[in-house]
Amino acid sequence: MEPPTSYDPTFSNQSRSNARKMAYRVVVLVVIVAFAPVVPNVAGEPWRACGYTGNYEPKSRYLTNLKSISAALPGNASASPDLFATAADVGAIPEQVSALALCRGDSDPASCRSCLSQAFRTLPDACPGSKDATIFYDKCTLHYSNIHFLTDDGSWPNQHLLEANSIKVRSEPDRFQLVVAALLNATADYAAATRRRYAAGEADFNQEYPKVYSLAQCTPDLTPVRCRSCLADITAATLSWYGSRIGARTLAVRCTFRYESAPFISGPLMVSLGGTPGAPAPAPAAVVPRTPAATRGPKYSVPVMVPVVMLPILAAITLVACLCLWRRSRPVTKGKQTYESYPTGGEEGMESVDSMLMDISALRSATGDFAESNKLGEGGFGAVYKGTLPDGSDIAVKRLSKSSTQGVEQLKNEIALVAKLKHKNLVSLVGVCLEQQERLLVYEFAPNRSLDLILFDTVKREQLDWEKRYKIVNGIARGLQYLHEDSHLKVVHRDLKANNILLDANMNPKISDFGLARIFDRDQIQGVTNHVVGTYGYMAPEYLMRGNYSVKSDVFSFGVMVLEILTGRRNRRSSNCQQSEDLLAMVWEHWNAGRVSETIDPVMNGVFSEGDARRCVQIALLCVQDNPVDRPVMSSVVMMLGRDTVSLQVPSKPEFFGRNNGGAKPGIASDASTVSVQLG
């Protein structure tokens, strides 16, 4: 039997106004209550909801992207301590896919992976050709869509399942509802306050009632406030329909609750409510309505009847809401220049770029018409030139090669990102020029150029004493903390390496080159791509092997850089990548044996604090752990670097390069240049 759902294919993103969000949520609640009948789940089969946001062909790129996600997401979720994983915007519009996978909080990793793998096998057939679909198993939920829904603004996919046992309590049914409401509210409060956004509980207020067990869960990427709000919404919208039934549940993509008179939780119970027989039950929250008493009946699910006269009214409300909320992204034009919709905020982002537009003639004059003598370096995107503006300030001009198609996309990404990021350890964008078929980015000039040009030069590296190296490590850490945690955007750089760290006149580090960076929603955990782009030797194992990237993949790259800064050794050779294994393994073995000082760059002639060196090496080894969960976040790294009193965990031996014998995957070069590979 096909399970019924309530579904509205339109939902807002973060750029929509608060008024539209409120209108949307009102309509959602109306649709949930009016159109969500309850029918039995036959033989434990899953429930599914097929959306209406478009269809894909059997051999389309959308299906390829979906298969790529299905290969990674079950493993990512089961490996996560929260049993949760997402994939954001995999592929290019209009074949782009986002997905969410969540297992019930009392599941174990093996059953979680099995459930989600089955969900990925079942859902495309259950919703053939549908680009937007959801499946609810008892122990896991899977949702994918061609619309980006991984936001924390309170407007999410609204597929809901309602199911209830029709057996009702005979004695004081109103009071039983209060018991259930109190238990669900307490369980929801506890769930919202935990990192996993999950809680289970029990209530036994009166011997006349059966003991009641409860569960509340949200996706862990929601904030506590959003989680509690989500649970309050579905409780208020559906609990009154359950009346005094002894068991029921409401499943939604972002949150769920359930209560039963028989145990159904396999894990521990966090909430316990009880009292003496006859004692009054605690009052429920105001959002929970009460319903009249009902009589006992046989155990089967009962459909909720909707008056036919309501259907035209509700349909009209829904149609008006859809028309009000529907908004297509459009390019913003100025003269002959067109700025596409960049990922950092639409028109507002473009206004900031407009304010930095520079004249091509001024830049030609500043760089001597891009004279070869002013060239600072060259990469896959093109060349960088030194220039001097009329006011005497020095600049670095990044000039995109006209033959570089990939560089165009990287340039757009960099404009959109760097224009909005301000930190002393990030390179500052001074201006932009998009005239006469030129694509130029103008940055502050870093007199000491990139870190790798000094660190790996046999003569210049002597400038880097212990104090300077420690300052560089700290500065990079603080810049990353800003990108990951402190800025109004949450940015994953994806190409951190020594030659993307610029040094100013005082050897202060500045993170540069945001061409491969990606913006995350504030509580987003990770992204997935089947086109891995980066630099071998710095890429985290989960990114290189499966295309999973996150702030933790940046942490891995940071750890590699720290080891390079401390030892003065590259993490790879241009002709032989075997040293990738040598550096990480060698440093760990010396640290484990208590001989850290033997790994420190010999050009410092032993002038450094062995205790500080050991601490830095230990922090770096924690950052290059194989499992992303074992790596610290950057705020913790900054704290560990700045305080000797903070105790450090003991790292495990980095095994990634050793397992792969230092070799790259097919299609990935082993030199210092940025490389790419197609997975799958």
Side-chain angles (χ1 to χ4, degrees):
M1 181 179 296
E2 178 178 326
T5 60
S6 60
Y7 179 74
D8 181 347
T10 63
F11 43 87
S12 60
N13 56 32
Q14 289 177 322
S15 66
R16 293 185 172 120
S17 67
N18 292 332
R20 289 176 176 173
K21 292 177 188 175
M22 182 60 69
Y24 169 79
R25 296 182 76 179
V26 170
V27 173
V28 168
L29 291 179
V30 171
V31 175
I32 291 172
V33 174
F35 291 104
V38 183
V39 298
N41 187 356
V42 181
E45 294 179 359
W47 304 79
R48 53 90 173 165
C50 307
Y52 303 97
T53 63
N55 295 305
Y56 62 84
E57 298 298 324
K59 295 183 179 181
S60 67
R61 188 65 191 175
Y62 188 92
L63 183 57
T64 301
N65 293 334
L66 184 59
K67 289 180 178 179
S68 174
I69 293 175
S70 69
L73 216 56
N76 295 343
S78 61
S80 164
D82 304 323
L83 301 180
F84 171 72
T86 62
D89 301 335
V90 176
I93 296 174
E95 306 301 323
Q96 195 173 78
V97 190
S98 293
L100 174 154
L102 175 68
C103 293
R104 211 172 78 181
D106 59 337
S107 300
D108 59 80
S111 63
C112 175
R113 182 165 191 160
S114 175
C115 183
L116 290 174
S117 297
Q118 181 62 45
F120 269 111
R121 288 192 295 269
T122 302
L123 188 51
D125 293 330
C127 295
S130 177
K131 287 187 174 182
D132 186 283
T134 307
I135 191 166
F136 297 106
Y137 282 88
D138 187 50
K139 286 296 186 76
C140 70
T141 298
L142 170 66
H143 174 74
Y144 59 77
S145 179
N146 60 327
I147 297 177
H148 182 78
F149 63 91
L150 297 171
T151 63
D152 186 26
D153 62 355
S155 50
W156 308 305
N158 62 328
Q159 296 96 320
H160 286 68
L161 158 70
L162 283 70
E163 185 179 28
N165 187 320
S166 66
I167 297 178
K168 302 177 181 180
V169 297
R170 290 181 174 178
S171 175
E172 300 183 84
D174 285 357
R175 188 160 170 266
F176 176 75
Q177 292 176 59
L178 296 180
V179 172
V180 170
L183 176 61
L184 289 177
N185 281 326
T187 309
D189 288 341
Y190 195 103
T194 65
R195 181 179 62 84
R196 297 184 63 196
R197 308 289 184 256
Y198 163 80
E202 63 178 355
D204 189 10
F205 284 96
N206 193 307
Q207 294 177 348
E208 296 181 16
Y209 298 146
K211 199 170 188 178
V212 183
Y213 300 87
S214 64
L215 175 149
Q217 185 172 13
C218 302
T219 55
D221 59 333
L222 297 188
T223 64
V225 172
R226 291 296 189 193
C227 174
R228 191 63 185 90
S229 175
C230 184
L231 289 168
D233 283 349
I234 64 171
T235 303
T238 62
L239 191 57
S240 63
W241 289 93
Y242 298 145
S244 57
R245 293 178 174 90
I246 63 173
R249 63 176 174 170
T250 298
L251 295 174
V253 174
R254 284 298 198 170
C255 62
T256 183
F257 75 81
R258 180 179 179 182
Y259 72 92
E260 301 286 349
S261 60
F264 65 95
I265 301 294
S266 58
L269 301 176
M270 300 83 163
V271 177
S272 180
L273 302 183
T276 58
V287 296
V288 182
R290 296 174 58 178
T291 57
T295 57
R296 180 184 297 272
K299 185 175 181 179
Y300 61 90
S301 298
V302 181
V304 177
M305 302 302 295
V306 182
V308 176
V309 70
M310 289 287 292
L311 296 180
I313 300 173
L314 293 170
I317 294 174
T318 304
L319 179 60
V320 171
C322 292
L323 292 174
C324 291
L325 297 175
W326 185 256
R327 179 181 176 183
R328 298 280 188 180
S329 60
R330 296 183 300 273
V332 179
T333 61
K334 179 182 179 180
K336 295 183 179 180
Q337 298 173 351
T338 299
Y339 305 102
E340 295 187 7
S341 179
Y342 298 152
T344 50
E347 296 177 8
E348 178 187 351
M350 291 310 98
E351 288 173 3
S352 63
V353 173
D354 287 347
S355 66
M356 291 191 294
L357 290 176
M358 298 183 69
D359 186 74
I360 183 65
S361 60
L363 295 180
R364 289 189 182 279
S365 175
T367 60
D369 200 14
F370 304 108
E372 192 70 20
S373 59
N374 285 326
K375 182 182 289 189
L376 297 173
E378 189 162 6
F381 56 83
V384 177
Y385 297 86
K386 180 183 178 182
T388 304
L389 295 176
D391 64 1
S393 57
D394 292 329
I395 56 173
V397 181
K398 183 176 182 179
R399 188 187 196 190
L400 178 67
S401 170
K402 295 178 182 178
S403 62
S404 175
T405 303
Q406 185 181 46
V408 173
E409 297 305 315
Q410 293 178 7
L411 186 78
K412 295 179 192 175
N413 197 54
E414 197 157 358
I415 292 173
L417 272 173
V418 183
K420 283 179 169 283
L421 299 174
K422 303 295 181 184
H423 190 271
K424 66 178 183 179
N425 294 118
L426 303 183
V427 67
S428 296
L429 183 65
V430 176
V432 179
C433 180
L434 302 172
E435 295 180 10
Q436 299 178 8
Q437 297 184 336
E438 291 280 6
R439 296 176 177 87
L440 307 170
L441 294 182
V442 185
Y443 289 101
E444 62 175 316
F445 179 68
N448 285 306
R449 301 173 66 179
S450 63
L451 174 62
D452 68 315
L453 295 179
I454 297 179
L455 182 62
F456 304 124
D457 186 280
T458 55
V459 177
K460 293 180 180 179
R461 66 200 293 180
E462 294 182 3
Q463 304 174 36
L464 299 177
D465 57 20
W466 175 256
E467 182 180 351
K468 288 187 177 68
R469 295 184 194 224
Y470 195 78
K471 182 171 72 170
I472 291 170
V473 168
N474 265 284
I476 299 171
R478 292 182 183 278
L480 274 182
Q481 180 185 353
Y482 171 79
L483 290 176
H484 293 174
E485 304 171 41
D486 296 342
S487 74
H488 57 290
L489 303 173
K490 180 178 180 181
V491 179
V492 178
H493 190 280
R494 294 208 306 165
D495 196 23
L496 283 168
K497 54 186 177 182
N499 63 335
N500 282 341
I501 304 299
L502 303 182
L503 300 174
D504 68 11
N506 297 315
M507 290 294 186
N508 293 308
K510 294 179 180 290
I511 301 172
S512 70
D513 200 339
F514 290 83
L516 303 181
R518 291 292 180 268
I519 298 174
F520 274 24
D521 295 324
R522 179 49 55 187
D523 294 307
Q524 183 179 343
I525 296 174
Q526 70 173 7
V528 181
T529 180
N530 61 355
H531 185 204
V532 174
V533 182
T535 304
Y536 187 77
Y538 293 96
M539 288 188 283
E542 69 277 5
Y543 180 49
L544 179 59
M545 307 303 292
R546 300 187 300 276
N548 299 342
Y549 60 91
S550 66
V551 294
K552 292 298 187 72
S553 52
D554 277 356
V555 172
F556 184 95
S557 303
F558 170 79
V560 172
M561 278 197 296
V562 172
L563 294 180
E564 289 184 330
I565 292 168
L566 297 178
T567 64
R569 297 182 56 180
R570 289 186 183 274
N571 193 39
R572 71 235 167 263
R573 293 193 185 104
S574 59
S575 59
N576 182 2
C577 61
Q578 186 64 34
Q579 194 175 358
S580 296
E581 178 182 357
D582 290 345
L583 180 60
L584 272 64
M586 178 273 293
V587 171
W588 187 88
E589 289 169 1
H590 279 75
W591 175 86
N592 197 43
R595 302 194 306 271
V596 165
S597 59
E598 297 178 12
T599 68
I600 303 303
D601 194 339
V603 302
M604 286 188 282
N605 296 318
V607 183
F608 59 87
S609 166
E610 187 168 344
D612 288 345
R614 181 177 178 85
R615 187 175 188 82
C616 284
V617 167
Q618 187 170 351
I619 293 170
L621 290 173
L622 289 172
C623 291
V624 296
Q625 295 295 287
D626 288 359
N627 190 337
V629 175
D630 296 332
R631 301 172 204 154
V633 295
M634 289 310 303
S635 55
S636 297
V637 171
V638 170
M639 183 175 63
M640 289 187 289
L641 287 170
R643 300 180 185 176
D644 295 338
T645 56
V646 178
S647 59
L648 305 182
Q649 296 181 357
V650 178
S652 302
K653 181 180 180 179
E655 297 287 351
F656 169 59
F657 291 110
R659 283 199 305 267
N660 293 280
N661 298 319
K665 286 178 67 65
I668 296 186
S670 58
D671 60 15
S673 62
T674 299
V675 295
S676 65
V677 63
Q678 193 80 12
L679 298 180

